[in-house]
Amino acid sequence: MAVKAAVPFLVAMMLLTGVCNTLLTKYQDLQCVRNCHSSDPKKRQHFEQPVIQTAQMFIGEMGCWLVVGGFALYKRYFAKATPVGYRAVNTTSPDGALDSEEDGGLLDHSRSAQEAASPAVKPLVPNADGRRPLVGWRVILLALPACCDIAGTTLMNVGLLFVAASIYQMTRGALVLFVGLFSVLFLRRKLYLYQWSALFIVVLGVGIVGLAGALAPNPQAKPAPSTTTPEIAIVLLRTATEHVKTTARTPEALQTIIGVLLIAGAQIFTATQFVLEEYILEQYALEPLKVVGWEGIFGFGVTLLGMIVLHLAVGRTEKGRYGYFDAKEGWREITSHRAIAVSSILIMFSIGGFNFFGLSVTRTVSATARSTIDTCRTLFIWLFSLALRWETFKWLQILGFALLVYGTFLFNDIVRPPLTVCLKGGKEGKKGMGMERERNGEGALLPEGPIEHV
């Protein structure tokens, strides 16, 4: 019962930390750092340091080593000598069920065996399936996905400067497109017709979300004249077309379009990161939380080196001053503004917590539950952004979000395709859309489950 009771808590904490990651980063972007008392809002300068925000993420990932170290100390000094993967079974039960699960009694296990059965400890347990351990110099292989993480996260942080938090989160749904394509190209996975259709739906949803962000409501728009129904339709269509043309030329709309393209493009690097992680973890065994910790170390090291080089080459020049690569100014803004400093610390804790809780949930619940949790995360970010008045409500955004969710669910075999011919195996596909892939070891495009980051 204790194990089952832990799952809702882990899911709730995964949602909380996941929502906080995006909202806290957007909160930083909204903090004024220069010309804050100017009467013209356009002259006020806000915190724009996407590279520093990337470094914050890697510091949070390195914090996972604290959990790894704490668990190692617990096993050494407090837990009894029972293998981490061991679980005593009821030999009289034909299905090998635990006595404690069969009749509600408590077995006389060691505490370490009980902890091994807990979802909270699953990120600390490697897969014992004969794969070689990832130790020694081979650990440097994780620097490759870490570098992809640097590029993807930095581009997303830049994009978040130009768009609302909800549009940022929804646009990240394009990840499934590139993960699917790269899995076919590099991991030799097979996609069926309905999955290709799902990817098209995801692309359409991302496009509509981006359009919703670019076409912000125009308060000066004039109402259509009172006329007959056919004429109303024509007038509305003509008005909408003119509104699109006019709005798309505004600087705000162009910035939104650029932000959406940056975030969507960043998913190429994130998908490459996932595919690299999958390839490495297919060959070697390593605890998922240690994977995050190592990527945090490599990512922070490369990011810090890049910050120094870019500051010397660009940031300290006249044109680069106050820009993305002005590390000296970024550090001054963090130390001089308490709100930015506090939010930076909170982001680090939130990133570390999201990795731990996310990995615990990923290794415990089904793919359906994971997709539902991720959808709720996006929905909560949208609701909180509306409540904080960081953005306005857009009906078109609902359509885009619905298409994103449907496309993702369809791709992951959570909902059935509308046409029987799209089902793999014809009529036999009706018996269970995921059974064939599970038998062939294709249950998910990335069976290990991608490492959670932001």
Side-chain angles (χ1 to χ4, degrees):
M1 292 299 295
V3 173
K4 294 181 179 179
V7 175
F9 172 76
L10 293 172
V11 170
M13 293 304 297
M14 176 186 174
L15 272 174
L16 176 63
T17 53
V19 171
C20 288
N21 290 343
T22 300
L23 293 181
L24 286 171
T25 304
K26 187 61 181 179
Y27 173 78
Q28 278 192 331
D29 296 340
L30 296 175
Q31 298 305 303
C32 183
V33 293
R34 291 187 307 277
N35 301 327
C36 299
H37 300 291
S38 174
S39 58
D40 186 0
K42 294 184 179 180
K43 294 183 179 180
R44 300 171 188 170
Q45 302 297 316
H46 297 86
F47 183 76
E48 297 180 352
Q49 295 293 336
V51 182
I52 290 180
Q53 289 175 331
T54 300
Q56 290 174 175
M57 182 199 71
F58 285 119
I59 293 175
E61 291 184 5
M62 287 192 296
C64 293
W65 285 109
L66 297 176
V67 179
V68 174
F71 183 69
L73 291 174
Y74 170 78
K75 286 198 302 180
R76 180 171 182 177
Y77 295 107
F78 299 100
K80 295 182 181 180
T82 303
V84 173
Y86 170 78
R87 290 186 66 183
V89 298
N90 177 13
T91 56
T92 62
S93 175
D95 58 354
L98 283 172
D99 288 339
S100 57
E101 296 174 352
E102 190 72 20
D103 56 354
L106 295 175
L107 290 178
D108 189 17
H109 296 158
S110 67
R111 292 186 62 184
S112 59
Q114 293 175 357
E115 291 295 331
S118 172
V121 186
K122 289 185 178 181
L124 297 162
V125 180
N127 293 315
D129 57 359
R131 280 178 280 185
R132 292 175 294 174
L134 187 61
V135 294
W137 64 269
R138 294 187 180 90
V139 172
I140 203 171
L141 292 172
L142 295 175
L144 297 175
C147 290
C148 294
D149 201 4
I150 293 172
T153 302
T154 303
L155 285 176
M156 285 191 288
N157 288 337
V158 175
L160 184 57
L161 294 171
F162 303 134
V163 301
S166 65
I167 293 178
Y168 162 85
Q169 193 65 32
M170 292 180 189
T171 306
R172 291 181 62 184
L175 175 63
V176 67
L177 168 65
F178 298 110
V179 169
L181 293 177
F182 290 173
S183 297
V184 171
L185 293 175
F186 303 113
L187 298 180
R188 305 302 179 186
R189 303 291 164 79
K190 181 181 179 180
L191 293 185
Y192 296 90
L193 177 60
Y194 74 94
Q195 290 176 310
W196 288 110
S197 302
L199 295 181
F200 174 77
I201 294 173
V202 168
V203 173
L204 182 61
V206 171
I208 292 177
V209 167
L211 182 63
L215 301 179
N218 184 6
Q220 297 179 349
K222 297 180 181 180
S226 177
T227 180
T228 62
T229 302
E231 293 175 345
I232 289 176
I234 296 174
V235 171
L236 286 176
L237 181 60
R238 184 183 301 133
T239 303
T241 304
E242 293 176 355
H243 176 64
V244 169
K245 291 181 179 179
T246 304
T247 308
R249 296 191 184 100
T250 62
E252 293 80 6
L254 292 177
Q255 286 183 355
T256 301
I257 294 172
I258 292 173
V260 169
L261 291 177
L262 286 172
I263 297 167
Q267 306 315 306
I268 298 176
F269 295 100
T270 305
T272 305
Q273 172 195 349
F274 284 178
V275 171
L276 285 172
E277 288 173 346
E278 170 68 7
Y279 177 77
I280 293 171
L281 295 178
E282 279 183 346
Q283 311 298 323
Y284 301 97
L286 185 64
E287 296 89 330
L289 209 58
K290 286 186 179 181
V291 174
V292 176
W294 279 118
E295 288 189 12
I297 291 176
F298 292 129
F300 179 75
V302 174
T303 302
L304 184 61
L305 179 63
M307 288 173 61
I308 296 173
V309 172
L310 290 171
H311 175 75
L312 295 177
V314 180
R316 65 176 182 174
T317 63
E318 188 64 29
K319 292 184 178 180
R321 190 181 181 187
Y322 301 133
Y324 297 159
F325 306 125
D326 191 349
K328 183 178 179 180
E329 173 62 19
W331 176 253
R332 185 199 68 80
E333 292 173 359
I334 291 177
T335 55
S336 301
H337 297 80
R338 184 177 179 181
I340 298 177
V342 172
S343 59
S344 294
I345 296 174
L346 292 176
I347 288 173
M348 295 174 193
F349 279 101
S350 181
I351 290 290
F354 181 69
N355 278 282
F356 174 72
F357 296 118
L359 287 170
S360 299
V361 170
T362 298
R363 284 196 154 196
T364 303
V365 302
S366 64
T368 303
R370 291 199 300 271
S371 297
T372 304
I373 292 169
D374 197 54
T375 301
C376 292
R377 177 189 175 191
T378 303
L379 185 60
F380 286 155
I381 290 172
W382 191 8
L383 294 176
F384 276 108
S385 297
L386 291 172
L388 294 171
R389 297 184 179 180
W390 289 354
E391 57 182 287
T392 57
F393 181 80
K394 308 174 186 66
W395 285 103
L396 191 61
Q397 195 171 349
I398 295 180
L399 175 61
F401 180 54
L403 289 174
L404 275 171
V405 173
Y406 177 73
T408 303
F409 279 26
L410 180 61
F411 184 82
N412 290 326
D413 289 338
I414 296 173
V415 298
R416 288 178 176 273
L419 299 177
T420 306
V421 293
C422 294
L423 288 170
K424 45 185 175 286
K427 296 181 179 179
E428 295 180 358
K430 295 181 181 180
K431 298 179 181 179
M433 297 175 59
M435 294 179 63
E436 179 184 344
R437 289 166 67 188
E438 289 177 2
R439 287 194 300 267
N440 296 333
E442 304 176 6
L445 283 178
L446 303 177
E448 283 290 334
I451 304 300
E452 302 285 346
H453 293 280
V454 292

